[in-house]
Amino acid sequence: VPASTENMTPEDIQEIIELGDKTENEARLTNIWADPHAGAVFVSQASSSPILRFVDSATGHIYDALRGEDPNKISNVTIPQIKEALWGKNGKSLVLRYLKEDSSIQSFSATVSTSSISTAISGTFLPANIKAIRVSDGQVLYANPGKVSGSIYLADISGSKRSEVFNSSFTDWAISFENQKTAFLYSKPSGFEPGYGFLLDLARGTATKIGAEAYGLEGTISPSGSHIFLSYTEDSIIRSSAYSIAKKAYVDIVPGTFASKCAWSMIESTTIYCAIPKNPDSGTYPDDWYKGLVSFSDSIWKIDVETGEMELLLDPVLEGEMFDVSELVIGPQDKEIAITNKK
């Protein structure tokens, strides 16, 4: 079996997939859920492996899954067509996002209890039509749903104790919120327009521009607040770099990938895990990917954002699978990775 499939033909790859059957003990990959889900989180357990907790998109039901076992439904409270589930620390709280019949965006903030399947979630609604929101521990950071103001609000996960931490005339923000002190704001990305990124100090309410504008700009800030992983396009090619906030310096990450295909380590402040496409065609990114006009074959890499050093962890093709990754979730000690396959 080759070490990499990067330069292989589709026929060679298909042959490997057909020969890639493994016994249960040999398999590195376990299929947890075959239907669309809205978001997942690992829940730590003192005496055993962590649980993967996730929301079924069609029903809004919450499931817990252990490796090698069928998922166990812990909530049968039905909220149809969940588009996004944003989890708080250790799966004890979440924000469920969906569209009402009038096309308004609803954000339901809930706490999770495993004592009763019929009352496993309870909570309250956040303001309607929030277009950008992120959860970190017990707090939410979101863009004001008003059409005129670009205010950014910080609140506890129930929506109370709300305070305005930033205001601008620009309204179409995207947010990365991984720690309680800083966040990364950027204009919603498109390969047709240059994007801008800002480091937001949540205590002072000040925003500092990060670098120059770039087409298709996306970013994710580390939990320690020390680095920002950036992706953008240049001459229709996906590029990535890691920005050190203290050093004000960039490290190029080659080959490139979207920041949305990455997740930070739970134990190492300078480590990020990314799904990186193999030989993607030129295109208008990230638009073509979000629209479903293109599909990638990704490998999973571990990256040191200080040095740019990269380690290949998984080529799914060699496991008999082909992934276009839309989300990575990292386990408590970096021992597990949950991979959502966009295909």
Side-chain angles (χ1 to χ4, degrees):
V1 176
S4 171
T5 59
E6 186 168 341
N7 296 315
M8 297 180 66
T9 67
E11 291 78 12
D12 291 335
I13 291 174
Q14 183 60 39
E15 184 177 355
I16 291 177
I17 291 175
E18 292 171 356
L19 295 173
D21 294 334
K22 294 177 172 62
T23 67
E24 186 66 28
N25 290 333
E26 294 172 329
R28 297 176 67 194
L29 295 170
T30 300
N31 189 3
I32 298 293
W33 194 249
D35 297 320
H37 77 92
V41 65
F42 279 105
V43 178
S44 298
Q45 297 190 110
S47 58
S48 60
S49 299
I51 292 170
L52 184 67
R53 181 167 291 171
F54 62 92
V55 175
D56 174 50
S57 292
T59 63
H61 296 169
I62 302 174
Y63 291 82
D64 279 356
L66 277 170
R67 184 180 177 91
E69 299 180 10
D70 291 335
N72 175 44
K73 185 189 294 187
I74 66 167
S75 167
N76 62 4
V77 178
T78 300
I79 306 175
Q81 299 302 317
I82 300 296
K83 303 299 182 184
E84 196 174 25
L86 306 172
W87 288 97
K89 190 173 182 180
N90 212 33
K92 294 180 179 179
S93 57
L94 80 162
V95 175
L96 295 170
R97 309 248 293 155
Y98 61 97
L99 292 174
K100 287 185 69 176
E101 292 181 357
D102 61 2
S103 295
S104 62
I105 303 170
Q106 301 296 309
S107 300
F108 181 69
S109 176
T111 56
V112 179
S113 170
T114 57
S115 58
S116 171
I117 189 172
S118 62
T119 59
I121 62 170
S122 59
T124 185
F125 284 95
L126 300 175
N129 293 317
I130 294 173
K131 291 194 289 183
I133 182 171
R134 285 294 176 263
V135 175
S136 178
D137 290 342
Q139 293 185 301
V140 292
L141 187 69
Y142 64 89
N144 182 21
K147 296 181 179 179
V148 178
S149 171
S151 296
I152 305 295
Y153 287 97
L154 180 67
D156 66 20
I157 201 162
S158 67
S160 63
K161 301 179 180 178
R162 187 182 81 162
S163 62
E164 183 183 88
V165 293
F166 183 68
N167 181 276
S168 77
S169 58
F170 184 76
T171 60
D172 219 5
W173 292 112
I175 300 171
S176 173
F177 180 44
E178 298 285 349
N179 66 83
Q180 303 300 304
K181 295 182 179 180
T182 55
F184 182 62
L185 301 181
Y186 56 100
S187 50
K188 289 196 172 180
S190 172
F192 292 104
E193 295 290 340
Y196 302 83
F198 298 86
L199 181 67
L200 175 62
D201 186 314
L202 296 174
R204 298 179 181 179
T206 57
T208 304
K209 187 177 179 182
I210 300 297
E213 65 271 16
Y215 285 85
L217 180 70
E218 292 184 336
T220 174
I221 190 169
S222 64
S224 66
S226 61
H227 291 82
I228 303 172
F229 186 93
L230 300 166
S231 62
Y232 55 96
T233 59
E234 188 176 68
D235 298 326
S236 300
I237 298 173
I238 304 167
R239 308 286 191 188
S240 298
S241 62
Y243 178 73
S244 170
I245 295 173
K247 298 177 181 177
K248 294 182 171 59
Y250 294 88
V251 173
D252 289 335
I253 307 299
V254 181
T257 188
F258 302 136
S260 56
K261 283 178 173 278
C262 299
W264 291 96
S265 165
M266 302 297 286
I267 57 175
E268 299 176 356
S269 63
T270 61
T271 294
I272 193 169
Y273 297 91
C274 291
I276 298 181
K278 303 176 188 176
N279 302 319
D281 294 331
S282 298
T284 304
Y285 294 123
D287 309 56
D288 289 353
W289 183 68
Y290 282 126
K291 291 178 180 179
L293 300 177
V294 298
S295 183
F296 301 133
S297 177
D298 295 338
S299 296
I300 311 300
W301 294 77
K302 179 181 179 180
I303 303 171
D304 186 319
V305 295
E306 278 283 335
T307 64
E309 181 181 355
M310 302 173 64
E311 176 188 352
L312 177 63
L313 298 183
L314 175 72
D315 186 339
V317 172
L318 301 182
E319 307 293 325
E321 302 284 352
M322 188 174 288
F323 290 164
D324 182 3
V325 176
S326 59
E327 182 185 27
L328 293 179
V329 180
I330 310 301
Q333 297 298 318
D334 289 15
K335 292 182 179 180
E336 302 88 6
I337 301 179
I339 302 167
T340 302
N341 190 4
K342 193 169 185 279
K343 292 184 183 294

